[in-house]
Amino acid sequence: MTVGMDQADRHGHQPKGHSMQSASPRGRREKGAVPKISKGDFAPKDTENSPAVVSIESFEYTPAYFARWKVSASDWMLLLVISMAAVVVRCYKLSNPANVVFDEVHFGKFAGKYLNSTYFFDLHPPLAKMMFAAVGRLAGYDGVFDFKSIGLDYIAANVPYVAMRLMPALLGAATVPATYATVRACGYAMDTAALAALLVCVENGLVTQSRLILLDSPLVFFTVLTLLCWSMFWTVQDRPFSRVWWAWLLATGLTMGCAASCKWVAFFLIPTIGLSTLHDLWDKIADQSLSPARWSMHFGARAIALICMPVAVYIGWFYVHFAVLSTTGGDAAALSPEFQVTLDGAKQMVTDRDVYYGSEIRMRSTNARSGFLHSHLHPWQHDKGSGQQQVTIYSYADANNVWVVEPAYNRTVDTSQGLVPVRNGDVLRLRHKTTGRFLHSHDKRPAMSNDKNKFELSGYGFANFSGDSNDNFRVDILEGDPDIQGSATELQSIYSRFRLVHTNLHCMVFNSRKKLPKWAFEQIEVNCMRNCLPRMSTWHVEHAFHPNTTAGAPVRKASYRPLGMLGKIWEYNKLMADSNQNLIGDHPFAARPQHWPWLRRGTAYWGGPGRLIYQLGNPLIWWGSLAALAVFATVRMVLFLLDKRRIRLQLGGQRNQYISGAGFFALAWTCHYVPFFLMGRELFTHHYFPALWMAIIVMAFTVDLVTCRLPRLLRSAVYVAVAAAVLHAFHTFSYITYARTWTKDACLRAKWLPTWDLDCEHAIGGLKGTVPPVAEPVLVDSKPENGIDQAVPKAADQVSNDPKYVQPEFINLPLDNGSGNKMIQPQLVQALPADNDDQAHNEL
């Protein structure tokens, strides 16, 4: 077995036993033949032995190999030392602080939900949360402690929090030897691999994140493991379809699926691995030694391992997720009724199937899962509105969701022959049962938009007033259940999907999915919109009842059909996507991607007397890795331009190794960083962690390139200097990593940048240095009671699923992520102003 390059081979000499081939584009060799070696050229041509590395050169450049790495005794010894150091760094004072910190309020609580089999919704996939639940169960956690707010005492509640924190700490520690192995698999020497491992080991941000009950440590672990397996896969390219070849290829797909099952950030591994694979397969097409059948085998193997395997793993973890969460919970209201009926304890909806004139119905927004068409005795209060009765969408079924189907204005229905069903194309009115007002639209802008194609929906009417034509809506049935006869021509509960079209304005009742202000109870806006797509304007009747149904006569019933497992997974993932897209807010510690690489600021996690946790990376590592990426881009561009002039620099014999290794990880960094600029959702610095690890690898490769021609002693001195600098920075910021007690003066000295908003008042000598944390503000939520919207305490399982709750001592702002329904208690309004235009029966 061949070995990778070591320090003695950095001057253009071929390592013993290492097979290479000329970089000539026409160079070919038969299997078993001794390859020819061009002076200074380290690029093998045989595509069977070459990794897929994206290159901007078109003809002369052949992808370089990742040298097969034989683990020596020195490697094992160094791996042992590195692993022990990583465990110490990650686990030092892991019990400190003994309080709920930052997003532990969410992911600790979710672990309890798993242990109690209670359904909850989170905008992240389930694997990492299930891992926390499994560790909690093994450690004796009973799932009762609710992690309700930052600062709650773990010890008083007897929560095995140290064990639950130990799992991400060990995964974080495991990334350090994995980094060493990755660099060695890329053909670099032990000193470069050890430097890369050290940089990962003492990166304060990664250390902070791995010491808490958070999802990022499992995410980074599986991401690193994926790229390690992919690198190892390229070390066995001379043995295609062997057991070890299959093992590393399948392991890449397995770990990629696990990474994606922790957080969706791992989906950026798809273009990373995918571009490398496509380049490899493209090279193999040009290899005349490969028959079409052989090429097809390569394609099929990669399709199985890198597409089918990750998809199967991702779906498999969701199977486990839903198998465990079998009991309904408060978050189930966000799901479709077809999903809800699959949960134990959920209400099984059975209702009258046929909808008649005179029926009392409850209408649900079909695709948004945000609730029911709703009205209550409170007026629109926005400046451009009518002041008439509010019509909204409300998530819970109550008496204010009930509407009575009546004939259109100035029309009657002959009921002498019995009940008359509502048919496709019928024009009708909907009267709010509780207040007696009709569903109404007119030429007024809605509360949340100034679009001229959107109109306010209101409840309108008063005593001795029969209404007007602006109460008229046409029923357009879009589709029915193919197994239920008549559901596409007659309006039927559950089975018919329809739109309500205003006959005068020609607009459709539309779910905007926008949260209304507090004077509208922060419920969801519904308006009347022209030219809208069916998705948010589709409704169905969930409940129907006619009071004149003949007693004892058979009444046809309707009920929801339970979703299958794949249907549940598909719906849940769509809801996750919607939640991520709509996660827009003004969190005080949010940070945009352009601020991440240069570490403009961190994130406050926790504060106590004399101590605080502030997630801030090791600045020398962040700035050094950013500089290394800039160096690589510059070198790559210079080489490209020189190649065009037939000047081929070899970079001290390191050209192909540097371009292939650093090029691949620079590509990975780009895939994991650039897409965030396209996201409108709220982002935080910790979203950069996977990309940071890839930048650190490029940094180690760049240090190797710069020192490759230096004398051994001088090269070692450079490595020691880099290590000493990052260790000093790590110690400087260890106070906010480990919540160590420090003074205000030391805190102020640690503010290397004015944008680092460390709250030094928590340090000894500061105003909060001896003051206990203040209580978190109480949130209230809207719940139905006797048909009237009330303000009640917010349920713990409805708190945000994104890191938006911070220690109140750090920032005195409401802790709201935009997904809860915080509200104030309004005063009931007994009279609503009349619409003078409506009294003329026509506003157009």
Side-chain angles (χ1 to χ4, degrees), residues 193-262:
L195 176 64
L198 175 66
L199 296 176
V200 174
C201 182
V202 298
E203 204 300 291
N204 295 73
L206 293 175
V207 175
T208 301
Q209 209 74 4
S210 64
R211 291 168 48 82
L212 301 171
I213 306 173
L214 304 175
L215 305 185
D216 298 276
S217 184
L219 166 69
V220 173
F221 169 75
F222 285 117
T223 299
V224 171
L225 213 57
T226 299
L227 296 181
L228 168 61
C229 293
W230 187 241
S231 300
M232 293 300 296
F233 172 68
W234 286 114
T235 68
V236 293
Q237 287 304 290
D238 58 339
R239 300 168 61 186
F241 305 106
S242 64
R243 289 183 179 179
V244 65
W245 186 91
W246 273 110
W248 287 120
L249 184 60
L250 291 172
T252 302
L254 174 65
T255 52
M256 183 160 55
C258 289
S261 299
C262 292

Side-chain angles (χ1 to χ4, degrees), residues 217-511:
S217 184
L219 166 69
V220 173
F221 169 75
F222 285 117
T223 299
V224 171
L225 213 57
T226 299
L227 296 181
L228 168 61
C229 293
W230 187 241
S231 300
M232 293 300 296
F233 172 68
W234 286 114
T235 68
V236 293
Q237 287 304 290
D238 58 339
R239 300 168 61 186
F241 305 106
S242 64
R243 289 183 179 179
V244 65
W245 186 91
W246 273 110
W248 287 120
L249 184 60
L250 291 172
T252 302
L254 174 65
T255 52
M256 183 160 55
C258 289
S261 299
C262 292
K263 293 183 78 171
W264 276 2
V265 174
F267 281 159
F268 298 144
L269 286 168
I270 296 175
T272 302
I273 303 296
L275 289 172
S276 177
T277 301
L278 289 175
H279 190 277
D280 172 45
L281 293 175
W282 181 253
D283 277 349
K284 283 180 166 52
I285 289 179
D287 188 349
Q288 298 179 4
S289 67
L290 284 179
S291 66
R294 187 75 168 177
W295 186 92
S296 299
M297 291 174 62
H298 277 282
F299 177 87
R302 287 157 176 78
I304 292 172
L306 303 179
I307 299 177
C308 299
M309 172 69 79
V311 171
V313 170
Y314 185 79
I315 292 176
W317 287 122
F318 269 101
Y319 265 84
V320 177
H321 171 78
F322 290 125
V324 174
L325 301 181
S326 57
T327 305
T328 190
D331 290 351
L335 303 171
S336 70
E338 292 86 352
F339 193 125
Q340 293 184 43
V341 298
T342 65
L343 301 173
D344 296 338
K347 182 179 180 180
Q348 303 297 315
M349 177 58 64
V350 179
T351 185
D352 293 355
R353 191 175 87 177
D354 300 300
V355 178
Y356 304 101
Y357 286 94
S359 290
E360 299 174 1
I361 64 173
R362 185 167 63 239
M363 291 170 44
R364 176 186 281 272
S365 180
T366 299
N367 296 315
R369 300 176 298 277
S370 50
F372 304 92
L373 189 66
H374 176 92
S375 188
H376 43 231
L377 199 60
H378 303 283
W380 287 120
Q381 298 179 19
H382 56 287
D383 294 338
K384 55 186 180 291
S386 64
Q388 297 175 9
Q389 182 171 297
Q390 295 174 11
V391 175
T392 65
I393 293 177
Y394 185 54
S395 299
Y396 301 92
D398 70 358
N400 282 332
N401 302 335
V402 178
W403 302 81
V404 180
V405 180
E406 295 192 359
Y409 174 71
N410 280 343
R411 299 185 188 180
T412 60
V413 173
D414 183 8
T415 58
S416 60
Q417 302 300 319
L419 300 179
V420 178
V422 177
R423 294 182 171 86
N424 184 33
D426 281 4
V427 178
L428 49 73
R429 295 186 296 175
L430 294 177
R431 176 172 55 84
H432 191 241
K433 183 179 179 182
T434 303
T435 64
R437 293 179 169 89
F438 288 103
L439 182 67
H440 179 93
S441 190
H442 46 205
D443 193 13
K444 298 286 186 180
R445 298 284 79 78
M448 307 302 291
S449 175
N450 291 316
D451 191 334
K452 293 183 179 180
N453 288 314
K454 295 181 180 179
F455 306 92
E456 180 187 80
L457 274 180
S458 65
Y460 182 63
F462 46 88
N464 301 319
F465 177 64
S466 60
D468 61 34
S469 62
N470 280 328
D471 302 335
N472 289 347
F473 291 84
R474 185 180 70 249
V475 176
D476 286 352
I477 298 179
L478 300 177
E479 64 177 352
D481 191 317
D483 297 328
I484 304 299
Q485 184 177 2
S487 60
T489 56
E490 294 185 355
L491 186 60
Q492 296 183 2
S493 298
I494 296 177
Y495 304 131
S496 299
R497 300 293 190 261
F498 64 92
R499 304 171 86 180
L500 288 177
V501 183
H502 194 265
T503 56
N504 288 339
L505 296 174
H506 306 291
C507 57
M508 279 68 73
V509 177
F510 177 78
N511 180 356

Side-chain angles (χ1 to χ4, degrees), residues 77 122 177 190 200 287 378 385 460 521 585 615 650 761-762 800 811 825:
M77 181 63 66
D122 180 42
M190 293 173 60
V200 174
D287 188 349
H378 303 283
Y460 182 63
F521 305 99
Q615 186 272 303
Q650 294 303 318
E761 296 302 329
H762 277 278
S800 160
I811 187 74
Q825 176 68 18

